[in-house]
Amino acid sequence: MFETIRRLPSMNVSRPTVVFLGVGFVFGLSVSYLFVNTQDFKSNWESNYGRKRPVLHDAHDLEDAEGPASEVVFHSSEEDAHRGKYAVAKELAQNVRVLCWIMTGPQNHVSKARHVKATWGKRCNKLIFMSSKADKTLPAVKLDVKEGRDSLWGKTKQAFEYIYKKHLDDADWFLKADDDTYTIVENLRHLLQDKNTSEPIFFGHKFKPFVSQGYFSGGAGYVLSKAALTRFVEQGVHNSSICRQDNGGYEDVEMGKCMNKLEVEAGDSRDSVGRKRFFPFVPEHHLIPGHLPKDGWYHKYIFYPDEEGLACCSDNAISFHYVSPNMMYVLEYLIYHLRPFGISMDSHPQDIAVLQK
């Protein structure tokens, strides 16, 4: 073997060849390094930004939704752009007192409920969360009811009964909303300012099946006058001939049936040009044609017909549903902080057609 090696001719490698091989080795190593890191970057991008976003049509789509882990800092009301802009709203808040109670559960106290408290909930005259577990940080009231969709009607009855016993004199109107509902409370007060809370009436997004006068979407939220709340608790909650006594059934439908028998009026919350103010989905699904199929359940259920595009929604819209925690902060910014320079917010630009594919 060693003899064979000794017989091999010696290799004479020139200096340019060595330099060329060295440059090639370094180039190849660099390309390999860039390829590996590009794959890592692509993987990270897809996992954080490129993945398909859920279509928010029901509560299951929001089960894994998370909001910001740290506190979100808002603009100060004393900044030049905001100073003195809230005088009318503050005065209205004193004259039209709204108690907001939020349907939630222990699994959502941190992931959803606290973001309601940090955003729109702070504009209610009083804010209370209803759960099966107490939580002083929200605060959440512990109701004697199991969690789950099959217990929402039971939770609703107990919540309104609690409000009636503990907080009837703390407000004029009583709003029920979910922990994935976003509400523009100032617009709610605007709707209610010329309404009489001593009359048995309530408002929301009206559906037409099951109840002759219609019933209101639970997710979009509905608001009861003091007279309606009083009649519901005193005459309905524990009366089997008026209200369903077990915890089952669809909460909003059962509420509608009960209020209909109690002769509590399901009011019309549309604005002066017939546009709706309470909405059971996120803004995109009402604004963009095609999100809600014409042959789907929604268009079969709605009490009043929908317009497509921006004409769907009142300038004084009150609520949207299936709003993720992050989107609550986006809406907070767009509604309360973004201002186009040189354009009066009192004027109404001409509606634009939403282009369809």
Side-chain angles (χ1 to χ4, degrees), residues 118-164:
T119 56
W120 69 266
K122 62 190 176 184
R123 299 183 182 93
C124 302
N125 294 85
K126 194 167 192 66
L127 177 67
I128 302 174
F129 294 85
M130 296 296 180
S131 179
S132 60
K133 182 179 179 180
D135 187 337
K136 294 181 179 179
T137 64
L138 287 174
V141 174
K142 181 183 184 300
L143 301 176
D144 184 21
V145 64
K146 294 180 180 179
E147 290 296 336
R149 299 190 66 81
D150 293 337
S151 299
L152 295 182
W153 172 231
K155 185 180 283 188
T156 299
K157 289 185 291 183
Q158 287 191 30
F160 275 122
E161 195 167 12
Y162 177 90
I163 297 297
Y164 170 79

Side-chain angles (χ1 to χ4, degrees), residues 130-275:
M130 296 296 180
S131 179
S132 60
K133 182 179 179 180
D135 187 337
K136 294 181 179 179
T137 64
L138 287 174
V141 174
K142 181 183 184 300
L143 301 176
D144 184 21
V145 64
K146 294 180 180 179
E147 290 296 336
R149 299 190 66 81
D150 293 337
S151 299
L152 295 182
W153 172 231
K155 185 180 283 188
T156 299
K157 289 185 291 183
Q158 287 191 30
F160 275 122
E161 195 167 12
Y162 177 90
I163 297 297
Y164 170 79
K165 292 178 179 178
K166 302 286 187 179
H167 300 287
L168 184 63
D169 294 328
D170 291 339
D172 308 302
W173 297 87
F174 303 86
L175 173 73
K176 176 267 169 188
D178 288 350
D179 55 17
D180 57 355
T181 307
Y182 187 93
T183 305
I184 300 95
V185 182
E186 294 86 352
N187 288 347
L188 176 61
R189 292 193 180 103
H190 176 62
L191 165 69
L192 300 172
Q193 65 179 333
D194 61 351
K195 306 295 189 295
N196 187 352
T197 190
S198 298
E199 295 180 0
I201 192 169
F202 69 139
F203 298 95
H205 181 94
K206 191 180 289 190
F207 289 137
K208 65 185 177 185
F210 313 120
V211 184
S212 59
Q213 70 166 348
Y215 72 95
F216 295 128
S217 162
Y222 46 83
V223 61
L224 279 64
S225 68
K226 185 174 291 190
L229 172 61
T230 301
R231 187 173 295 190
F232 175 65
V233 174
E234 291 184 353
Q235 301 178 32
V237 169
H238 299 292
N239 188 335
S240 60
S241 66
I242 294 179
C243 295
R244 181 169 175 163
Q245 294 301 289
D246 65 13
N247 292 342
Y250 292 101
E251 159 249 328
D252 45 10
V253 175
E254 295 303 328
M255 189 70 181
K257 291 178 178 179
C258 192
M259 297 299 248
N260 189 48
K261 291 179 181 178
L262 288 167
E263 297 183 347
V264 174
E265 181 185 352
D268 183 355
S269 62
R270 294 176 298 168
D271 67 14
S272 59
V273 292
R275 292 173 181 165

Side-chain angles (χ1 to χ4, degrees), residues 2 17 30 58 63 100 121-122 132 145 154 159 185 193 195 197 205 212 263 280 289 291-292 307 316 318 352:
F2 292 107
T17 302
S30 300
D58 57 45
E63 285 179 355
C100 307
K122 62 190 176 184
S132 60
V145 64
V185 182
Q193 65 179 333
K195 306 295 189 295
T197 190
H205 181 94
S212 59
E263 297 183 347
H291 261 302
L292 301 172
E307 294 283 346
N316 298 123
I318 290 171
I352 60 171

Side-chain angles (χ1 to χ4, degrees), residues 23-39:
V23 171
F25 175 77
V26 172
F27 178 77
L29 188 63
S30 300
V31 170
S32 300
Y33 176 81
L34 288 173
F35 177 78
V36 170
N37 280 274
T38 299
Q39 293 302 109

